[in-house]
Amino acid sequence: MSTIEWPLGEALQAWRARVTPEDVGLATYGDRRRVTGLRREELGLLAGVSASYYTRLEQGQSRNASAEILDAIARALRLNEAERAHLHALAAAGHTRQGAQPPPVEQVDPALADLLAVLGDVPAVVLGRRTDVLAWNAAGHALLGLDLAREAPADPGNRPNMAELVFLDAYQRDLYVDWAAKARAVVGNMRLVVGLHPNDAVLATLIGRLSMRSAEFAGLWADHSVQPCATTDYDLHHPLVGRLTTTQQSLRSLSSPDQILVTCTAPAGSPSAEALALLALITADNKPQS
């Protein structure tokens, strides 16, 4: 059974593998274990459910776990709040067995487009459900996509995809000083999106393509870690203005909740703010003329 059909099973296996009996106070008496982490019967014991029931749940043979059982499993697995919410989302998605559907082509939310236009020299980008770049302003392009055509997001069939750029584009790998942290954040957020949209055929294709083309993505994807979009500071090394630190914030549209506006800012008067101002000045001639 593929991940897109029953992602809960693979998630439970991955989470179970990272918890040892010692972590939860279970005695092993020196037995030779053939599994990494907890056995199914051990997790069932900790969660207060039978081993047979837990096995059916993990294998997708039972898809009607109550919220109380899911919470008990989350506690046994020591999941954080984001992971617990993801567990519930995966279980809810499993109640239906819809086939993968081709979703409509995403168009940037007009309100986000208006906000993007008034941000001026604040680097910003609008990302769709699958991290497609739906739009960016001149500053956002100069900071995050300098190696790409400014007008690239305008063509739905050839839009840049931020997840693909992070893992497959040399510019992104060089841009982020701690590239591994950015890569984990991208994959962790993508896990959350899969839980909310398990039947998204385009998303499934993207994940498969990245898994085949990037061993690093495949390894992070197999870990089943989740990480919601959050305000994060990233050290960057830009080819035009050198080293700077920006705070990336994600603002979600209420009218189009699958879309987020990502802004990159720096404290006023800081060397990083000066670097952003210099970048805007250097790339001013590349801005489309009105």
Side-chain angles (χ1 to χ4, degrees):
M1 183 171 292
S2 68
T3 302
I4 207 70
E5 291 175 333
W6 185 236
L8 178 59
E10 288 190 10
L12 287 172
Q13 290 177 41
W15 290 333
R16 181 163 55 85
R18 73 186 188 188
V19 181
T20 68
E22 292 77 14
D23 290 335
V24 292
L26 289 179
T28 59
Y29 304 105
D31 58 339
R32 300 178 62 182
R33 304 178 66 86
R34 293 183 294 177
V35 298
T36 302
L38 294 176
R39 296 176 174 136
R40 287 169 175 162
E41 58 269 24
E42 291 170 333
L43 180 54
L45 176 66
L46 291 169
V49 299
S50 68
S52 60
Y53 175 82
Y54 175 78
T55 298
R56 293 196 304 273
L57 178 65
E58 190 174 283
Q59 293 179 345
Q61 298 170 4
S62 177
R63 299 192 175 211
N64 296 297
S66 67
E68 292 75 16
I69 288 178
L70 294 174
D71 284 338
I73 292 174
R75 288 191 295 271
L77 290 170
R78 298 190 167 188
L79 302 185
N80 60 35
E81 183 57 30
E83 291 167 334
R84 188 196 66 79
H86 184 54
L87 171 66
H88 281 266
L90 293 178
H95 291 166
T96 59
R97 296 174 181 255
Q98 299 175 0
Q101 301 294 323
V105 175
E106 288 186 289
Q107 302 294 339
V108 62
D109 181 279
L112 288 183
D114 291 342
L115 182 56
L116 192 67
V118 301
L119 285 174
D121 291 336
V122 175
V125 56
V126 178
L127 299 180
R129 177 195 297 180
R130 307 163 206 91
T131 72
D132 289 328
V133 179
L134 304 184
W136 50 23
N137 60 10
H141 169 252
L143 182 66
L144 301 176
L146 193 61
D147 60 329
L148 303 173
R150 169 77 169 86
E151 65 278 6
D155 181 3
N158 294 287
R159 281 173 174 155
N161 179 275
M162 194 56 69
E164 288 190 301
L165 292 177
V166 166
F167 283 94
L168 304 177
D169 185 69
Y171 177 83
Q172 295 290 324
R173 192 175 289 265
D174 293 339
L175 179 66
Y176 286 92
V177 175
D178 188 355
W179 175 87
K182 181 62 177 179
R184 288 194 300 271
V186 168
V187 174
N189 182 69
M190 190 174 288
R191 272 287 175 198
L192 290 174
V193 175
V194 166
L196 297 172
H197 304 283
N199 301 308
D200 187 327
V202 177
L203 179 59
T205 299
L206 171 64
I207 292 167
R209 184 165 64 247
L210 282 169
S211 297
M212 294 192 65
R213 297 183 64 186
S214 171
E216 290 156 315
F217 177 89
L220 289 170
W221 190 253
D223 185 54
H224 283 264
S225 294
V226 297
Q227 183 174 337
C229 289
T231 300
T232 307
D233 291 338
Y234 286 107
D235 292 329
L236 308 178
H237 192 278
H238 194 274
L240 296 183
V241 296
R243 187 75 172 259
L244 70 157
T245 300
T246 66
T247 300
Q248 292 190 6
Q249 301 182 67
S250 299
L251 309 175
R252 192 170 300 278
S253 169
L254 292 178
S255 56
S256 300
D258 285 341
Q259 297 184 21
I260 58 172
L261 174 72
V262 181
T263 60
C264 303
T265 59
S270 68
S272 293
E274 294 175 358
L276 288 177
L278 177 60
L279 179 62
L281 181 64
I282 293 173
T283 59
D285 290 340
N286 295 328
K287 296 179 182 179
Q289 299 297 313
S290 58

